[in-house]
Amino acid sequence: LFAAIALPIQALRMVLFPRMARAAVVNLDDSGVRLDETPRDIYAFAVQWLLALGLLCAFLGFVYAEPLIALLFGANMLPSVLPTRLLMVALIFFALNVPQSRFLLATGRQNRTAALIVISMAANLLANLMLARQFGAPGAALARNISTALYLSLALFSLAGAIRRPAWPAMLAPFLALALAVVVAYLLAQWPWWLAAALSAAAYLAVLAGILKLTNTWSLSPSSADAG
């Protein structure tokens, strides 16, 4: 279910790296990679949209985990609802890790990427040994949360000064849209779950589109990325 819900994020992941890599290659010289505004703008644009996409996917997977699992895998798999909901938190970290790893690779920081992967894998293994043995599947899901959050934290720290932060309206918009989606899901709790999920997602996207259109944070231009 995690993989199915994460498909939109995976699709964006596939198209992000070539575009960012082309932008970075333009700035290659004898001293190595020299960053200009272009890859940093793509990074900021990707962060804001992957945050928005990650929050929406995680919200739908968390709230509607039970009917989705029953539909896709059968009622005998309903005990996996709790670990699935815990994994939805990891989905947000996973989405935000995509622009970090792609920016590192596109700008010639492969060794740093490898180090971050090794550290996060070691953290995941250690957390699994500590949590999965005691709490089972929910413990394994918590271990995934810990390792993905650790990767994100270390990647952001290692890229401090090299990246361009998104404009604050672009970062705030998904959370405002999420608040409305939660209200819609609550009000429609007695409706068919698929209809409530569709309307909640529609409310989320409508608020997101409205805010980003009003604040002019659709483009990749440096001015919009620097706003706020």
Side-chain angles (χ1 to χ4, degrees):
L1 184 59
F2 180 93
I5 294 176
L7 277 176
I9 299 171
Q10 295 281 19
L12 190 52
R13 180 183 184 182
M14 294 296 294
V15 302
L16 177 61
F17 178 71
R19 184 167 185 175
M20 193 176 287
R22 284 196 299 269
V25 165
V26 171
N27 302 289
L28 287 173
D29 59 15
D30 293 338
S31 61
V33 175
R34 184 178 70 250
L35 293 179
D36 70 354
E37 300 298 321
T38 305
R40 295 170 66 195
D41 289 341
I42 296 172
Y43 168 88
F45 187 80
V47 167
Q48 71 183 53
W49 283 109
L50 281 161
L51 173 63
L53 192 57
L55 281 176
L56 176 59
C57 292
F59 162 74
L60 294 174
F62 186 94
V63 174
Y64 301 105
E66 185 172 344
L68 281 171
I69 289 173
L71 175 67
L72 296 175
F73 307 109
N76 60 320
M77 293 298 293
L78 287 178
S80 64
V81 168
L82 175 58
T84 298
R85 284 177 169 159
L86 291 173
L87 281 174
M88 292 303 103
V89 179
L91 185 65
I92 301 172
F93 296 132
F94 171 74
L96 290 174
N97 280 337
V98 169
Q100 319 306 325
S101 59
R102 291 305 181 250
F103 188 88
L104 285 165
L105 291 172
T107 55
R109 295 171 167 89
Q110 288 83 359
N111 291 339
R112 194 177 303 181
T113 305
L116 292 176
I117 291 173
V118 170
I119 292 171
S120 62
M121 287 179 62
N124 183 266
L125 177 60
L126 180 60
N128 268 290
L129 290 174
M130 296 174 62
L131 298 172
R133 291 170 63 92
Q134 183 173 357
F135 302 108
L142 285 173
R144 178 69 178 270
N145 286 336
I146 291 171
S147 63
T148 51
L150 178 63
Y151 183 99
L152 178 61
S153 301
L154 293 176
L156 288 171
F157 178 78
S158 71
L159 289 173
I163 55 178
R164 180 190 300 282
R165 64 181 179 85
W168 70 264
M171 299 299 288
L172 181 61
F175 294 99
L176 295 176
L178 179 63
L180 179 61
V182 170
V183 172
V184 172
Y186 175 78
L187 294 176
L188 304 183
Q190 303 304 316
W191 289 35
W193 72 268
W194 54 269
L195 182 56
L199 292 175
S200 299
Y204 179 96
L205 294 173
V207 172
L208 184 68
I211 294 175
L212 296 183
K213 187 67 174 179
L214 287 173
T215 55
N216 192 30
T217 49
W218 290 93
S219 71
L220 283 168
S221 67
S223 57
S224 66
D226 281 335

